Amino acid sequence: MSPAKPVGPVSPVGPGSSGSPVRPVGPVKAVLFDRDGTLVHDVPYNGDPERVRPVEGAREAVALLRARDIRVGVVTNQSGVARGLISGTDVRRVNRRIDDLLGPFDVWAICPHGPDDGCHCRKPQPGLVLWAAGRICTDPADCVVVGDIGADTEAAARAGAHGILVPNARTRPEETEAAAHTAPDLLTAVRSLLDDPALDGPAPGGPHDGGARSGQRPATTAPAPSGEAPDPCRRPS
């Protein structure tokens, strides 16, 4: 995996940061969260809503954003669908449980493909971020993606959005070192945005760097006719 590109959304927090505030340029209009390991504890290929446990501070973090009228969404790879370990229905049931626990999110974007499927939405590709931003009528440059691995911040950079890494036990040291901005926990990441709700300009490379092809769309939480997760790489008929 190539390292996350430097993007710089807020007052730096965490390793490698100077601690000096970033000069305000524009407000954060939306925050897109990774799901497993960021919003909720990572249960590999989880299809059971009863096993969903929000991470510490998740409820407060999301509530703080909603109180400031900042849109919130989720961008999540779910390769368990491609692997045959869970169904699209399982994914939607787990997502509904997260909505129940944390309040309904403005947008859900899901990639059900595997890492070798050539999907243009699967993080670190930018398709999920671009689609979610478009769905809530927000320019990617006004979005921040919060995740726990380098693929999350790399997807943000490729989309022209901004990234904050919140490392956990599965985050590789090189991913933490490469991240332009980190936070020790989810609540700290969100509070840093609210303390200085500004971006320092578009991510390097500009929006849509390596973006999804025209007509591609990630899956949403809406049930597909087949009962499985919709295909984010299928062109609309």
Side-chain angles (χ1 to χ4, degrees), residues 1-5 7 32 34 75-77 120-131 140 143-147 149-164 203-204 206-212:
M1 179 184 300
S2 54
K5 299 177 183 178
V7 291
L32 304 174
D34 171 58
V75 288
T76 177
N77 293 344
H120 292 270
C121 292
R122 178 180 169 83
K123 296 176 291 183
Q125 295 298 324
L128 290 181
V129 176
L130 293 172
W131 186 89
C143 295
V144 174
V145 177
V146 181
I149 62 174
D152 299 314
T153 52
E154 185 174 345
R158 289 182 174 189
H162 306 265
I164 300 179
H208 302 202
D209 177 24

Side-chain angles (χ1 to χ4, degrees), residues 3 15 148-150 165 167-179 182:
D148 65 322
I149 62 174
L165 187 74
N168 57 30
R170 74 172 184 149
T171 311
R172 299 202 302 263
E174 58 267 31
E175 293 174 326
T176 303
E177 293 172 3
T182 67

Side-chain angles (χ1 to χ4, degrees), residues 1-220:
M1 179 184 300
S2 54
K5 299 177 183 178
V7 291
V10 293
S11 300
V13 179
S17 302
S18 66
S20 58
V22 171
R23 186 177 183 84
V25 172
V28 175
K29 296 181 179 178
V31 177
L32 304 174
F33 296 95
D34 171 58
R35 194 188 84 174
D36 304 311
T38 300
L39 277 177
V40 298
H41 290 285
D42 187 15
V43 177
Y45 310 120
N46 183 28
D48 182 359
E50 295 304 314
R51 300 184 71 187
V52 172
R53 297 290 182 273
V55 302
E56 185 176 356
R59 293 184 183 89
E60 185 178 352
V62 176
L64 286 172
L65 292 170
R66 293 189 179 113
R68 298 287 187 91
D69 293 324
I70 295 173
R71 308 296 294 274
V72 291
V74 181
V75 288
T76 177
N77 293 344
Q78 293 297 323
S79 67
V81 176
R83 300 172 195 269
L85 301 174
I86 53 176
S87 69
T89 299
D90 292 332
V91 173
R92 291 190 291 273
R93 290 172 62 232
V94 168
N95 294 345
R96 283 195 292 268
R97 178 60 175 165
I98 295 172
D99 275 340
D100 290 343
L101 293 172
L102 301 180
F105 285 85
D106 297 304
V107 62
W108 283 84
I110 305 157
C111 176
H113 293 98
D116 300 322
D117 290 343
C119 174
H120 292 270
C121 292
R122 178 180 169 83
K123 296 176 291 183
Q125 295 298 324
L128 290 181
V129 176
L130 293 172
W131 186 89
R135 187 75 173 179
I136 56 177
C137 302
T138 304
D139 192 294
D142 297 327
C143 295
V144 174
V145 177
V146 181
D148 65 322
I149 62 174
D152 299 314
T153 52
E154 185 174 345
R158 289 182 174 189
H162 306 265
I164 300 179
L165 187 74
V166 180
N168 57 30
R170 74 172 184 149
T171 311
R172 299 202 302 263
E174 58 267 31
E175 293 174 326
T176 303
E177 293 172 3
H181 295 280
T182 67
D185 55 66
L186 190 63
L187 187 54
T188 300
V190 167
R191 282 176 171 164
S192 73
L193 292 172
L194 299 180
D195 290 343
D196 184 9
L199 305 177
D200 63 349
H208 302 202
D209 177 24
R213 295 174 182 173
S214 174
Q216 292 171 350
R217 55 189 175 85
T220 70

